[in-house]
Amino acid sequence: MPNSDVNNAQHLIVVGGTSGIGLALALAHQQLGWQVSVVGHSARKIERIERDYPTIQTYGCDLTDIDQRQQLLSDLETVDFDRLIYSAGSYLNERVIELDKADSDRMLAVNLQAFQEVFSWASQQLKDQSLTNQNAKSLTNHSIMPKLSLICIASIAGTLDYPYASLYAKSKKAMIATASAYRLALAPYNIQVTCIASGYVDTQALRDLNEGDASHKPFIMTTQKAVAHIMQAIDEDVELAIFPRPMRYLTRLLNQLPKPLLHRLLKGK
């Protein structure tokens, strides 16, 4: 039987939270006293979390499967949460790999279609909760209520104004624009929406894509440093957090270049 402290704790859901940045953010919130639920598709990773972090609630879902997505959202209907982070992502280096049908379908499904479905569902859940909180505040005269928030993990690649961008970059650009629209739409409900557009983070997934070593990536940062940036951006209610600083300056510079020159530069290895 959970104690009253757990019952009163703020609740976080991390979609794509069984590894990498998603899991790191889940653990950072847990250390702050949050109740945490994570969603992932790997049975092996879910079993590891259930073994190593038994207080974290886990949900299995292949986000590329429409039926599984709908079942996940149905399962979460009765879960009260204060913050949802969409951290799921699918990436392949499209400069060196030509996407086949399966690659293309998966990248679009995870990076855009599932994100849009989850954000739409979560925004409605939080709007309903916001109205409930406002009623409770008026009845109890409590001046402080928990801040509700939606967070998504995009990529600095989505900040480039580049007509020949990869599917990954275009889907992240769409994620950034979608989050901005939700931020404006949910402002009357006092719901925070923050989008994270980071550079390279030294996760296991990135190392796996680079033969076990991603240290050659420009301005690569540790997972711990990335989490610190993200938590600060959330605390400060930043609309679009772009980091690290050198990558932010570099993308600004690239966006000033003539598009044909930018195309040649980005097509280079």
Side-chain angles (χ1 to χ4, degrees), residues 25-79:
L25 286 168
L27 296 178
H29 281 77
Q30 188 181 54
Q31 290 175 356
L32 294 174
W34 286 62
Q35 184 181 353
V36 176
S37 299
V38 298
V39 178
H41 72 277
S42 169
R44 176 180 57 83
K45 292 177 181 178
I46 288 175
E47 289 172 1
R48 185 189 67 198
I49 289 175
E50 290 174 343
R51 181 188 69 243
D52 296 343
Y53 309 104
T55 59
I56 292 181
Q57 177 68 46
T58 59
Y59 297 86
C61 178
D62 179 356
L63 293 173
T64 67
D65 186 301
I66 296 175
D67 291 336
Q68 287 195 39
R69 294 202 306 256
Q70 292 177 344
Q71 183 60 54
L72 169 69
L73 300 183
S74 177
D75 292 341
L76 292 173
E77 282 288 342
T78 58
V79 176

Side-chain angles (χ1 to χ4, degrees), residues 8-266:
N8 292 329
Q10 290 179 280
H11 191 169
L12 166 72
I13 298 175
V14 186
V15 180
T18 55
S19 62
I21 286 291
L23 177 57
L25 286 168
L27 296 178
H29 281 77
Q30 188 181 54
Q31 290 175 356
L32 294 174
W34 286 62
Q35 184 181 353
V36 176
S37 299
V38 298
V39 178
H41 72 277
S42 169
R44 176 180 57 83
K45 292 177 181 178
I46 288 175
E47 289 172 1
R48 185 189 67 198
I49 289 175
E50 290 174 343
R51 181 188 69 243
D52 296 343
Y53 309 104
T55 59
I56 292 181
Q57 177 68 46
T58 59
Y59 297 86
C61 178
D62 179 356
L63 293 173
T64 67
D65 186 301
I66 296 175
D67 291 336
Q68 287 195 39
R69 294 202 306 256
Q70 292 177 344
Q71 183 60 54
L72 169 69
L73 300 183
S74 177
D75 292 341
L76 292 173
E77 282 288 342
T78 58
V79 176
D80 289 330
F81 62 96
D82 303 275
R83 176 174 294 166
L84 181 139
I85 300 177
Y86 191 92
S87 184
S90 176
Y91 172 79
L92 289 172
N93 190 340
E94 296 170 62
R95 291 183 301 166
V96 297
I97 297 174
E98 184 175 353
L99 298 182
D100 59 21
K101 292 178 181 178
D103 294 332
S104 180
D105 288 348
R106 175 170 181 78
M107 197 171 293
L108 187 65
V110 176
N111 295 339
L112 193 55
Q113 293 168 332
F115 158 70
Q116 291 174 331
E117 188 172 352
V118 169
F119 243 53
S120 175
W121 171 85
S123 69
Q124 186 59 56
Q125 297 293 112
L126 289 184
K127 283 195 293 184
D128 292 343
Q129 187 168 329
S130 174
L131 295 175
T132 300
N133 288 349
Q134 289 176 15
N135 291 334
K137 178 181 174 181
S138 63
L139 290 173
T140 61
N141 294 320
H142 286 172
S143 59
I144 299 176
M145 299 298 290
K147 179 75 172 182
L148 306 177
S149 52
L150 286 174
I151 317 296
C152 60
I153 309 298
S155 168
I156 204 165
T159 66
L160 282 173
D161 184 15
Y162 176 52
Y164 309 105
S166 66
L167 174 58
Y168 176 81
K170 285 182 180 292
S171 63
K172 293 300 184 179
K173 189 178 187 68
M175 178 182 284
I176 292 170
T178 300
S180 181
Y182 270 100
R183 182 178 175 92
L184 186 61
L186 297 180
Y189 295 88
N190 196 31
I191 297 172
Q192 171 188 352
V193 181
T194 290
C195 185
I196 307 298
S198 71
Y200 293 108
V201 180
D202 192 15
T203 61
Q204 186 61 52
L206 184 62
R207 291 193 292 271
D208 291 343
L209 288 169
N210 290 272
E211 300 179 347
D213 183 12
S215 60
H216 61 286
K217 294 294 185 181
F219 310 115
I220 191 168
M221 73 193 91
T222 64
T223 300
Q224 292 77 11
K225 191 168 185 179
V227 167
H229 278 293
I230 294 169
M231 296 297 283
Q232 180 179 0
I234 296 173
D235 288 343
E236 296 177 357
D237 194 7
V238 176
E239 177 174 357
L240 177 61
I242 305 173
F243 59 86
R245 188 175 300 166
M247 283 290 277
R248 183 167 73 242
Y249 293 156
L250 178 59
T251 54
R252 286 180 184 174
L253 175 62
L254 290 174
N255 280 331
Q256 300 304 312
L257 296 177
K259 294 300 182 285
L261 176 57
L262 180 60
H263 180 57
R264 288 200 297 271
L265 287 174
L266 295 184

